[in-house]
Amino acid sequence: MNASFLPPQAGPLLTRHLKMGGANPAGIRLDLTNRYLTRAGQPFLPVMGEFHFSRCEAEAWPAELAKMKAGGVTIAATYLFWIHHEEIEGARRFTGNLDIRRFVLDCGRAGLAVVLRIGPWAHGECRNGGFPDWLVRKGIPLRCNDPAYLALVRGWYAAVFAQVQGLLYKDGGPVIGVQLENELVDDAAHLATLKQIAVEAGFDVPYYTVTGWNAAAGARIPADEVLPVFSAYPDAPWAAGTAPLPLSPHYVFDAERNDAAVGADLMARTAPDGWQLPYDRYPFATCELGCGQQSTYHRRVRISPMDAYALSLVKLGSGNNLIGYYMYHGGTNPVGRLSTMQESRATGYPNDYPILNYDFDTALSEYGEARPQYGLLNLLHLFAADFGETLAPMPFAPPAAPARPDDPDTLRYAMRTDGTAGFVFVNHHQRHAALRPVRDVRFDTGAVVFPPVTVAGDIAFFFPFGLMLGGVRLAWATAQPICRCGDSFFFAAVPGIPAQYAFEGGLRFTAGPGVTVQDAGGVRVVTLPLAEAACLRRLGGRVYLGERCNLYLDPGSGALRAIEDGPFAYRLWEDGRFVRRSVHRPFAPAVWTLTPCPAPFSPDKAGAAELALSGAPARWFALAVTTPEGFVTIGAPHDIAQIYADGRLIADEFGTGRPWRVPARLLYGKTCHLALTPPTASVWREPPA
């Protein structure tokens, strides 16, 4: 099969046309063109991960941010939920787990920039979309330019700014942007007013973002005033009903940015009044790539590592130049003084969510554990850090033979290129469907023709051509570039495809099995099997290879740590080779016991209401742990699970079919009980793998 490409889709490069940008005290400017973001005048490709500080204990922020940094995230995005901070009118709180200033300072110490999503309406599966009950009860028009509402917004924005004053990019701080509102699709005038209020409050930042999704016409935004950012999720657990959904379109390459534009080929390209978001004035940027997803009560999803990785890779290959995830790190909802704060049907929203659990089945769990997509996604993030300046200016070139989500035979591929160099992207994964092997594929970029490869299995990858490795030009490679360290360049071998390299001047070689180090005329090429490459980390300027563990640097001491408990081993890259080392850490994992018992008490109103969703009585167990270390794993099938410690709800979950893991430290030294309701056939669950 010959796989060729249509011409790249690129209009004229526009610069300084948007009313954004700014410099720090060192004079380093952050700007953006219509194709990519720039730093000091050069293209760069940042990685943004959502982490809600108010859904995590403040004492854990430094370590969790260090894990995000180790995973290749460069920007931490976070919502400020108005209801979390001002549940009672006039009684604003920015202390403890609500201390946004402390969180921003922790981000700066971790080496992360910050985007504050300041609302005032946020959603985020929060009660009233983040509006306090008292605001909703006022009876004034909300999310519009009503004077009474705007007066309250001014107070909210001013209160938030007072907490972060002096921490903006222009001050030398980490705050580089703010997001205004969320999912407001039809009121450009209101978004413009929100920007004006934010600037008047003091938010003078390089980037102002808004969510841009709607129908194919795009959200109505104040043109040139804000950067529209987009989303793509593996599934839609908010969908009504419990029937299977159509196959996701996000696993085929397409320059379409709109998650809501499923079936865009059947939609009008403009709104009835002629509105069309001017996409060609903005870079393709995302804020909500789903590297996980939160189950609703009626739709339970499980996101596989390849669901997350292939989705992000497909968007990167389709032109995405800001890799933004929602959520990158899960969390735990706070419980208010007047109500629970999660979205529910009882509050007029279409979905029921757990009271506490906002795990999101994502890269870093509610309790800070690393899931497999954490390491896989880091392959893309390391690449973006080292080769983003090369990739970002390259436009998207569609395949000559495009695929459909329901087509198991047509190869899914695309290219980004400047005409002489570039990257060929391939995806052989479709959530909830098996794709058939495609044999003897020859990618013809117009500049080079790759040797034939067979694309098979559940995999996604990209190949470079014309890529400079130091002073040596790589003509092509059938391996995926990851990062560099000095004169060493690291690649991942794609399962089932020999890792071959061809350089200008005629040098060619093939990597062997395992980790292979080869000389390429003054530079080293290091090839790792994909499974091992997922544990590759660059920390403090050095390259480490964890042995089935995820490494990060302790934010206090700077010592090397593993996310996983207990002793760990790793290999450090030095002097052109990996040197094995190990770290001994005492670990006494908890032994836990479950003993059936009568209902020990009547749960409070909220807890009882959550259990009542299933319509079946709960079974109760006394739960005890011997130490605070490790996790309790609840593997028994269930519909709803709750854990109480000393009579207080501390953890809950809607069963997805996966074991539920809860830290023993939450239970140790307390009288604990587990409530389980039986599985029900009235909800949608993930089909068997």
Side-chain angles (χ1 to χ4, degrees), residues 137-163:
R137 288 196 299 264
K138 282 185 179 292
I140 61 175
L142 304 177
R143 304 182 70 191
C144 67
N145 282 346
D146 178 81
Y149 174 62
L150 293 181
L152 293 166
V153 171
R154 285 189 176 90
W156 168 242
Y157 277 12
V160 175
F161 178 74
Q163 299 300 313

Side-chain angles (χ1 to χ4, degrees), residues 457-502:
D458 197 29
I459 194 65
F461 59 89
F462 59 93
F463 292 156
F465 63 95
L467 181 64
M468 291 301 300
L469 304 182
V472 179
R473 184 177 293 276
L474 178 65
W476 55 261
T478 55
Q480 180 170 315
I482 306 173
C483 66
R484 71 175 297 179
C485 182
D487 61 358
S488 301
F489 292 82
F490 297 82
F491 288 76
V494 180
I497 298 177
Q500 303 178 66
Y501 302 85

Side-chain angles (χ1 to χ4, degrees), residues 20 178 180 195 199 203-210 225-227:
M20 283 178 279
V178 297
L180 307 166
K195 179 180 177 182
V199 172
F203 285 107
D204 178 6
V205 292
Y207 301 125
Y208 301 89
T209 71
V210 298
E225 293 282 350
V226 293
L227 170 64

